[in-house]
Amino acid sequence: MTLGIDIGVIKMIITHAAAVHGLDISPEPVDLARVALKRLGLIGKGTERDRRPTTDELNRLFRCFDDNDRLTLPMTRIVKFAVATAMRLDEICRVEWTDLDVDRRMLMIRDRKDPRNKTGNDQRIPLFAATGFDAWALVTEQAKHLGQTNGRIFPYNSKSVGTAFRRACVEVSVKDLHFHDLRHEGTSRLFEAGFAIEQVSLVTGHKDWKMLRRYTHIRPETLHRLAASRASSPLETRAAE
């Protein structure tokens, strides 16, 4: 994966030199080198993670957080909020109370990560309970916990949150689970709740299906619930008639 990125950077530099500075140099040898490296198995697509926490694993983590008297971070609330919103950890730790639209129960996430736009990629997302955790209720709970609504909603260091998460995973034997997997979990739950691609992207911020698909790992057993829900829908019934 790293070698592939390096090859891409080299090609970008050579292309820039030829196009902008007029140097007599061609990026074609780089393309040939990429083909050769792929054939040799030295570069290729990275393995996509499909790790999702089970309900039991999440409950074990919650108990671990809540039973730890030395832990000052509201980790249970943070983890639930991560699943409820499919937000990245750094986004969670930098959104402010001024970004909150109380009347519409919406949250503005400023400068979301986007490979094409480094700044100005602001997005409003709904705070609802579609994933099994109620994002709006968690924000309300956080306000009571802080006793104020100034500054950041979750005024904690993202590295400290990540460390606390990893330590808890080790303590309760939850293996190979990263905090970023909670974003995968939230995204997958939105699809399992019956939302369409374009609707899920309004929450996750993904611009296309290829990127969104990497974060989606639907459990096949949930299709039973979706099928039953659609079969019982009056609209579906009338359409069938």
Side-chain angles (χ1 to χ4, degrees):
M1 185 67 176
T2 302
L3 183 56
I5 294 174
D6 291 341
I7 290 292
V9 171
I10 292 172
K11 181 178 180 180
M12 180 183 66
I13 294 172
I14 292 175
T15 302
H16 176 83
V20 178
H21 299 290
L23 296 183
D24 185 15
I25 186 172
S26 171
E28 184 178 357
V30 181
D31 292 329
L32 294 175
R34 185 190 297 275
V35 172
L37 289 169
K38 282 185 177 180
R39 296 285 176 84
L40 293 171
L42 297 177
I43 63 173
K45 290 185 178 180
T47 303
E48 296 182 3
R49 286 183 63 80
D50 59 359
R51 178 70 160 94
R52 293 184 59 181
T54 65
T55 299
D56 176 67
E57 287 176 328
L58 286 175
N59 287 334
R60 280 154 53 195
L61 287 171
F62 296 154
R63 287 194 297 269
C64 180
F65 297 140
D66 297 341
D67 292 343
N68 188 347
D69 295 332
R70 296 172 298 174
L71 185 64
T72 58
L73 300 171
M75 286 298 298
T76 293
R77 191 177 307 122
I78 293 172
V79 168
K80 288 181 178 180
F81 189 77
V83 176
T85 61
M87 288 171 62
R88 300 175 180 87
L89 177 54
D90 73 291
E91 293 171 343
I92 293 174
C93 291
R94 63 180 166 82
V95 288
E96 301 188 358
W97 289 105
T98 54
D99 297 323
L100 189 66
D101 184 337
V102 176
D103 294 331
R104 296 178 176 82
R105 296 192 176 187
M106 302 288 290
L107 178 65
M108 175 71 78
I109 306 175
R110 303 188 185 279
D111 294 331
R112 297 203 84 170
K113 181 180 178 181
D114 186 338
R116 288 167 292 189
N117 299 306
K118 300 300 181 183
T119 59
N121 189 34
D122 300 344
Q123 182 183 14
R124 294 168 65 246
I125 68 167
L127 298 180
F128 52 13
T131 66
F133 297 122
D134 189 336
W136 178 254
L138 291 165
V139 166
T140 303
E141 185 181 336
Q142 178 68 2
K144 294 178 180 178
H145 172 74
L146 294 176
Q148 64 177 17
T149 54
N150 297 315
R152 291 181 292 153
I153 297 176
F154 294 95
Y156 316 112
N157 186 299
S158 60
K159 292 183 179 179
S160 298
V161 174
T163 298
F165 184 81
R166 289 190 295 272
R167 286 176 177 172
C169 286
V170 172
E171 186 171 338
V172 297
S173 299
V174 174
K175 298 179 180 180
D176 189 35
L177 183 66
H178 304 165
F179 193 97
H180 196 70
D181 294 331
L182 302 177
R183 178 164 162 81
H184 293 238
E185 178 67 18
T187 303
S188 297
R189 288 191 182 198
L190 288 171
F191 278 111
E192 291 172 348
F195 288 95
I197 294 171
E198 61 273 17
Q199 294 169 327
V200 173
S201 67
L202 293 176
V203 179
T204 64
H206 291 98
K207 294 297 190 295
D208 56 57
W209 167 235
K210 287 183 180 179
M211 289 297 297
L212 186 54
R213 184 177 57 185
R214 293 182 59 247
Y215 284 85
T216 307
H217 307 288
I218 300 174
R219 294 188 174 107
E221 56 267 26
T222 60
L223 296 179
H224 287 299
R225 184 178 67 251
L226 283 175
S229 175
R230 291 178 179 178
S232 61
S233 169
L235 291 177
E236 293 288 340
T237 301
R238 286 199 294 271
E241 293 175 353

